Amino acid sequence: MARILRSSYIILVLGIFFLLSTTSSLAQEESTIALKSYLTQLEKKYDVKFSFVDEDLSGVAITVPNFNNLNSILTALESQTKLKIEKLSNRYYTLTKSSLVTICANVFDNYAENTIPGATVEVLGGEVAKITNTDGSFTLKDIPRTASLKVRYLGYITQYIPVEELADQADCPDILMAQNLEILDEVVVYEFLTSGLIKQADASITLNTAELGMLPGLIEPDILQSMQALPGVKSIDETVSDINVRGGTNDQNLMLWNGIKMYQSGHFFGLISAFNPYLTDKVTLYKNGTPTQYGDGVSSVISLETKNDIDGSFVGGAGLNLISGDVYGQFPINDKVAFQFSARRSTTDFLNTPAYGSFTDRAFQDTEVRNQQNQEIDEGLTKTEKFFFYDFTGKLLYDINEDHKLRFSFIGIDNDLDFSETDTNTNETSRSFLDQTNISAGLQLQSQWRENFSSNLNIYFSKYNLDAQSFFPNQTQRLDQKNIVEERAVKLNTNLKISENITWDNGYQYIETGIINRVFNVQPPFNTNAKGVVRIHAPYSQLNYTSFENKFIASVGVRTNSIENLGTFSKLLIEPRLNLNLRVAKNLRAQLLGEFKSQSTNQVIDLEQNFLGIEKRRWTLSDDDELPITKSKQASLGLNYAKNSFYAGLESFYKKVDGISTRTQGFQNENQFNGEIGSYEIKGLEFLINKKGDNYSTWLSYTLNKNDYTFDSIVPNTFPNNLDVRHTVTFASTYTIKRLRLGLGINYRTGRPYTEPQAASPLDNSFFPARINYQEPNSSRLPSYFRVDASAVYHWELSRRIKAKAGISLLNLSNKKNILNRYYRVSEDNSAVETVENNSLGITPNVSFRVSF
């Protein structure tokens, strides 16, 4: 009986304990309530009204404060919810999320087993950055709620995290970092010369403009000027619109902006790049071994891509130099849509600066002519010019979802010139007008259909227009010229990941290019209107292989071009491509590249004495007769050595280009050459050595080229190419002292070839008009070219978010007079030979000031 009573007692005690616990738990649950419901109770009890955004209070629960005073209750609610409660009047209150928050987190590896001390945590678009503690934790105070964090650490994939995800957390959440399994890329990818300039595993060279450091002579990252620091890339006439890659002419470069082919790339007749570098995220240069998705451009491919990600924060900036001013920015509309823009306009039509004066002298110097006694013959001429340029770009970014992204891009480029020349002796004036524009727009759809399959659809329209007029003193002679290019294209590229080591690229492209060339001359009467359309269908395929630890990397592919010039010809061309990269020893890799390429658009260089010599190139289409399709074959073998902060690269190459015309090569002895068809062959060697330290970078590059023409109808058949510059040497160094960056560069190259008149009888008067008797083609050479450039840029912070920099540069520091070109023409009275020389820029100062935020 006692045992039964004892058991009953124990059961009774347990029951009472359970009842008390349940009651306590229920009471605790009852004291936790949704904030929105509790505010409704307060409104009734205290006769007040609360204003708030539903999303801010969604899912927020609170413990009911144990107060009877409204002010005390609201203070307790602010403490619990981190909301800001503001009293507007005796009856009305507002509840808002604070725009600045304090966040914390712990950074772990992706298995949450090991903390990552020393990881960098950066607030995007701001100046706040911190290193994680020894336990992997960090705390950031007063951070914008709408910002995003960038968390990075060597050997791990960088994480981008919205601050909103970490705000208002009761505990510090964990951030898991996935290991980067491609850490061996450091022996395949080489960063040289300056930060942001990288040689990739496929031998392409990329410029990451956001990280691009200083290059001598540049105070702003001019994209096309920066590329000329690389071996094998130069401009024979110091411009960005006439870039020569491995001995090729500028029209043999395929230039793409966001996948759109560009037919104009420069301002001020090629002296300034037309592309804003501050929104350009990456520039890629292929000199050989080009992927099969790229057709056209037998010398190179230059691909420019603007920022393509929506990072949730506004970035922008503005700047001013002695030539122009610009503004740019990217701002999010919501978490799926963003818009970026840039605009630039020159100050040259209302502000005369030393830089403008130097550029003007360089652009219009073809009007300075000397006679056979080397005397200037234009002393009685006065010249006035009104010139300005502008460009603008825009890009709409729309993330449909995580797997599909839509991008719409557009760009506009314009140059306008009004030039007058008055003879003070006769008071007669000639006048010329020039309007050069490029308007382009494109749509891209980037899709990730499955984990191992993606596609990129690109549709674009591009239009180039050159409209020029010349009025002569007699008012009866007038010359009109027009060059119009319109291109439409649809391009689809797919990528299939077959295995961890093999990927397969396939695609199809349709390109339609129409070109119009018109010339109208009043006196003597002359009128031409040449039109043409070329259509290209191009399927292609490429297989890519990467072995374990990147010991061997290979790409093999083929591109098929079906080219049709309406009413003229149709051709089928097969273009194989090869790219092999092999590790032959520790820190040493060898690379073998090869390609066949073709192009059906070229620039003819004509009308040497019209338009003051500043814009003589006209786009035209191949007709397989007077101007055949240009074809190239190229092979190269290179070695790359990199250890710690030292890099050395050596590459030899051979290239042959068939189907060129003397009209596209810039011959300036027009009476001798009349559109002959031939080829050029170039053998070359490129060498680069670079040593970098924590605050300096020094490099030396050398290029050897032997570039020869072959024209069967010219005697002799083989002679030096107009771009045959045998030796090119560059030595440069940059140095950083805290916020100050300094750069100094020396450029040397041997002179280019040209053709002189015969010394004994320079003029042949048996013809009318008279003709020049030339020596053998390109049998003379200009003096060597030498230029020293220097620059300095100082960085500082105007506020927590606004950064500033000021720079000064001096081009041609020694003010050496370099002769870029020399040609001859017959005087107006047919009695003498006149010499026309193009000289390089003299000493050219420039200053700039920029802010970014």
Side-chain angles (χ1 to χ4, degrees):
M1 184 68 180
R3 181 180 299 176
I4 295 173
L5 289 174
R6 189 163 50 249
S7 300
S8 300
Y9 175 76
I10 293 172
I11 291 171
L12 179 62
V13 171
L14 290 175
I16 293 172
F17 178 76
F18 176 75
L19 181 61
L20 291 173
S21 299
T22 303
T23 303
S24 176
S25 176
L26 289 173
Q28 196 170 24
E29 288 181 3
E30 288 176 355
S31 64
T32 301
I33 187 174
L35 177 58
K36 289 168 63 175
S37 299
Y38 184 61
L39 292 177
T40 302
Q41 296 178 15
L42 293 178
E43 287 178 336
K44 294 179 180 178
K45 182 176 181 181
Y46 293 100
D47 190 25
V48 294
K49 289 291 183 181
F50 294 101
S51 172
F52 51 83
V53 177
D54 286 341
E55 292 181 359
D56 290 348
L57 274 61
S58 177
V60 178
I62 52 98
T63 300
V64 175
N66 189 19
F67 299 107
N68 292 322
N69 178 273
L70 179 59
N71 289 334
S72 300
I73 293 173
L74 296 181
T75 300
L77 292 180
E78 279 189 323
S79 177
Q80 286 191 50
T81 63
K82 310 300 182 184
L83 292 169
K84 182 179 180 181
I85 303 177
E86 184 177 357
K87 182 178 180 180
L88 301 179
S89 65
N90 290 333
R91 190 168 181 237
Y92 291 96
Y93 293 81
T94 61
L95 286 79
T96 57
K97 281 189 174 181
S98 174
S99 59
L100 298 178
V101 296
T102 297
I103 59 172
C104 65
N106 304 298
V107 181
F108 286 85
D109 64 11
N110 55 342
Y111 298 105
E113 294 179 353
N114 301 305
T115 60
I116 303 180
T120 301
V121 183
E122 176 185 352
V123 179
L124 291 176
E127 300 177 4
V128 178
K130 204 165 188 178
I131 303 297
T132 56
N133 301 320
T134 55
D135 60 354
S137 65
F138 71 88
T139 301
L140 296 174
K141 296 182 178 180
D142 296 331
I143 303 302
R145 182 182 290 272
T146 57
S148 295
L149 297 184
K150 179 180 180 181
V151 185
R152 54 190 172 93
Y153 189 73
L154 183 64
Y156 290 84
I157 297 174
T158 300
Q159 291 268 40
Y160 295 89
I161 304 168
V163 169
E164 184 70 42
E165 293 184 4
L166 304 178
D168 305 329
Q169 299 268 2
D171 299 315
C172 297
D174 294 338
I175 297 176
L176 303 183
M177 302 282 285
Q179 292 187 5
N180 185 358
L181 300 179
E182 297 180 343
I183 57 175
L184 289 174
D185 279 355
E186 60 183 348
V187 300
V188 182
V189 177
Y190 310 101
E191 183 176 76
F192 50 45
L193 306 191
T194 186
S195 59
L197 194 56
I198 301 168
K199 185 169 186 177
Q200 303 288 348
D202 63 355
S204 67
I205 297 172
T206 61
L207 287 78
N208 296 322
T209 55
E211 302 175 8
L212 190 63
M214 169 175 281
L215 290 170
L218 296 180
I219 48 178
E220 297 184 277
D222 188 296
I223 295 167
L224 301 181
Q225 288 282 11
S226 299
M227 295 182 61
Q228 296 179 39
L230 303 170
V233 183
K234 61 178 176 290
S235 174
I236 204 74
D237 59 3
E238 292 187 333
T239 67
V240 297
S241 62
D242 191 11
I243 294 179
N244 314 119
V245 179
R246 290 185 172 175
T249 53
N250 182 75
D251 60 333
Q252 294 174 356
N253 302 317
L254 170 63
M255 187 164 295
L256 302 171
W257 181 82
N258 284 342
I260 305 169
K261 184 173 180 179
M262 305 300 297
Y263 286 90
Q264 180 182 349
S265 59
H267 288 308
F268 221 133
F269 311 108
L271 296 175
I272 301 170
S273 171
F275 305 105
N276 189 301
Y278 298 99
L279 282 179
T280 303
D281 186 48
K282 184 175 72 171
V283 182
T284 305
L285 168 68
Y286 294 95
K287 294 189 284 186
N288 191 12
T290 311
T292 55
Q293 66 173 299
Y294 298 109
D296 215 348
V298 297
S299 275
S300 75
V301 174
I302 303 171
S303 175
L304 300 90
E305 302 173 35
T306 60
K307 297 179 185 297
N308 204 47
D309 295 321
I310 301 174
D311 58 18
S313 60
F314 173 77
V315 295
L320 183 69
N321 57 43
L322 296 185
I323 296 294
S324 63
D326 73 280
V327 62
Y328 71 95
Q330 176 173 316
F331 57 89
I333 298 174
N334 55 45
D335 59 350
K336 289 189 174 183
V337 182
F339 182 73
Q340 62 182 224
F341 67 93
S342 72
R344 171 172 51 175
R345 193 196 188 279
S346 67
T347 59
T348 53
D349 54 333
F350 60 86
L351 185 63
N352 194 356
T353 66
Y356 175 55
S358 183
F359 279 23
T360 301
D361 292 342
R362 167 68 182 83
F364 299 111
Q365 61 184 279
D366 269 8
T367 58
E368 298 177 2
V369 184
R370 295 178 180 272
N371 59 22
Q372 288 173 279
Q373 288 73 43
N374 201 33
Q375 298 172 330
E376 289 190 13
I377 62 175
D378 60 349
E379 294 179 352
L381 299 177
T382 59
K383 307 160 192 173
T384 59
E385 74 283 331
K386 183 179 181 182
F387 170 78
F388 73 92
F389 65 80
Y390 64 85
D391 59 68
F392 58 87
T393 68
K395 186 174 182 179
L396 182 66
L397 301 89
Y398 174 41
D399 289 350
I400 302 172
N401 53 44
E402 291 184 357
D403 297 324
H404 301 279
K405 299 180 179 181
L406 192 65
R407 305 291 187 256
F408 174 72
S409 307
F410 60 89
I411 184 172
I413 303 169
D414 184 82
N415 285 293
D416 282 284
L417 170 68
D418 180 352
F419 184 90
S420 298
E421 188 175 70
T422 302
D423 188 332
T424 57
N425 297 319
T426 63
N427 202 30
E428 293 181 333
T429 300
S430 60
R431 196 171 183 184
S432 296
F433 302 92
L434 180 68
D435 184 21
Q436 187 182 32
T437 61
N438 195 118
I439 301 292
S440 303
L443 189 69
Q444 287 184 315
L445 177 61
Q446 302 159 357
S447 301
Q448 187 73 41
W449 300 101
R450 297 195 303 271
E451 185 178 351
N452 65 337
F453 182 73
S454 62
S455 68
N456 186 0
L457 176 64
N458 181 24
I459 303 171
Y460 71 79
F461 170 78
S462 187
K463 182 176 182 178
Y464 168 81
N465 183 78
L466 176 68
D467 193 358
Q469 297 178 350
S470 290
F471 296 89
F472 298 92
N474 56 23
Q475 301 300 318
T476 61
Q477 189 175 1
R478 172 183 165 188
L479 175 65
D480 292 350
Q481 300 173 67
K482 185 177 285 290
N483 184 210
I484 302 173
V485 183
E486 289 190 2
E487 182 165 293
R488 301 166 178 83
V490 179
K491 301 180 179 181
L492 175 65
N493 185 73
T494 65
N495 176 267
L496 175 64
K497 186 175 182 180
I498 299 175
S499 68
E500 289 296 324
N501 305 100
I502 301 174
T503 60
W504 189 17
D505 293 323
N506 290 279
Y508 170 81
Q509 298 177 357
Y510 170 75
I511 306 168
E512 180 182 279
T513 307
I515 296 181
I516 298 174
N517 273 292
R518 296 174 183 164
V519 178
F520 175 73
N521 195 32
V522 175
Q523 187 67 34
F526 180 74
N527 190 8
T528 64
N529 189 9
K531 301 179 181 179
V533 177
V534 163
R535 292 173 179 166
I536 300 175
H537 298 266
Y540 60 87
S541 183
Q542 178 172 300
L543 203 61
N544 310 297
Y545 171 77
T546 303
S547 69
F548 178 67
E549 294 185 343
N550 293 328
K551 184 175 182 180
F552 178 62
I553 303 172
S555 295
V556 181
V558 64
R559 179 185 179 92
T560 302
N561 283 333
S562 175
I563 306 174
E564 179 186 12
N565 187 322
L566 299 185
T568 306
F569 72 91
S570 62
K571 279 186 176 291
L572 182 66
L573 301 177
I574 308 298
E575 300 176 358
R577 312 281 173 88
L578 177 69
N579 194 319
L580 305 178
N581 187 313
L582 175 67
R583 187 171 68 202
V584 295
K586 186 178 180 181
N587 304 318
L588 180 66
R589 301 188 73 91
Q591 196 150 34
L592 176 65
L593 307 172
E595 66 180 22
F596 283 39
K597 297 179 77 176
S598 65
Q599 66 180 65
S600 55
T601 56
N602 297 274
Q603 280 184 318
V604 296
I605 304 175
D606 204 353
L607 308 169
E608 289 294 334
Q609 298 185 49
N610 290 310
F611 282 136
L612 323 165
I614 54 176
E615 191 55 60
K616 301 165 290 192
R617 294 176 292 183
R618 306 288 184 268
W619 287 102
T620 189
L621 291 171
S622 298
D623 57 11
D624 207 36
D625 181 19
E626 293 184 1
L627 191 60
I629 294 174
T630 307
K631 306 172 188 176
S632 72
K633 303 175 182 178
Q634 185 177 185
S636 61
L637 178 64
L639 292 173
N640 295 286
Y641 176 83
K643 184 177 182 181
N644 300 327
S645 58
F646 177 80
Y647 169 83
L650 178 66
E651 187 170 7
S652 62
F653 67 91
Y654 169 81
K655 180 169 69 173
K656 184 175 182 181
V657 178
D658 294 302
I660 64 169
S661 167
T662 54
R663 297 175 59 210
T664 67
Q665 296 298 300
F667 285 101
Q668 290 168 310
N669 35 12
E670 296 295 331
N671 290 331
Q672 181 174 351
F673 301 132
N674 297 296
E676 288 87 350
I677 304 301
S679 64
Y680 71 82
E681 183 179 80
I682 179 169
K683 302 171 185 176
L685 185 72
E686 298 169 358
F687 173 72
L688 174 66
I689 185 171
N690 179 215
K691 180 70 173 78
K692 297 177 67 176
D694 293 337
N695 58 354
Y696 73 91
S697 179
T698 301
W699 66 90
L700 173 70
S701 70
Y702 169 72
T703 303
L704 169 66
N705 285 339
K706 187 178 186 304
N707 192 352
D708 292 321
Y709 286 125
T710 298
F711 289 95
D712 294 337
S713 57
I714 297 176
V715 179
N717 301 135
T718 301
F719 53 93
N721 192 302
N722 293 333
L723 302 175
D724 178 45
V725 177
R726 293 294 171 89
H727 307 281
T728 303
V729 179
T730 299
F731 177 77
S733 185
T734 61
Y735 189 74
T736 302
I737 309 172
K738 295 183 179 178
R739 297 178 180 271
L740 179 64
R741 297 179 181 176
L742 304 172
L744 181 69
I746 300 173
N747 301 279
Y748 168 84
R749 64 173 183 253
T750 53
R752 66 182 293 189
Y754 74 104
T755 308
E756 288 188 305
Q758 295 180 8
S761 56
L763 202 60
D764 185 355
N765 289 307
S766 62
F767 295 90
F768 184 82
R771 297 181 181 180
I772 298 175
N773 290 322
Y774 285 102
Q775 299 179 18
E776 289 188 357
N778 287 349
S779 56
S780 302
R781 285 189 178 268
L782 295 173
S784 297
Y785 176 95
F786 179 84
R787 194 172 98 173
V788 179
D789 299 330
S791 54
V793 177
Y794 183 76
H795 297 254
W796 75 97
E797 298 173 358
L798 294 175
S799 69
R800 187 175 65 86
R801 287 216 49 186
I802 302 177
K803 299 179 181 179
K805 70 175 183 178
I808 182 171
S809 68
L810 286 172
L811 301 178
N812 197 3
L813 185 62
S814 63
N815 201 27
K816 185 178 186 304
K817 182 179 179 181
N818 293 298
I819 301 175
L820 302 177
N821 191 21
R822 179 184 291 158
Y823 66 94
Y824 303 88
R825 68 190 192 189
V826 180
S827 62
E828 290 186 4
D829 60 5
N830 287 293
S831 64
V833 175
E834 299 174 346
T835 303
V836 184
E837 286 188 351
N838 300 133
N839 297 318
S840 66
L841 285 170
I843 183 170
T844 304
N846 198 5
V847 297
S848 72
F849 173 74
R850 300 201 65 83
V851 294
S852 59
F853 39 84

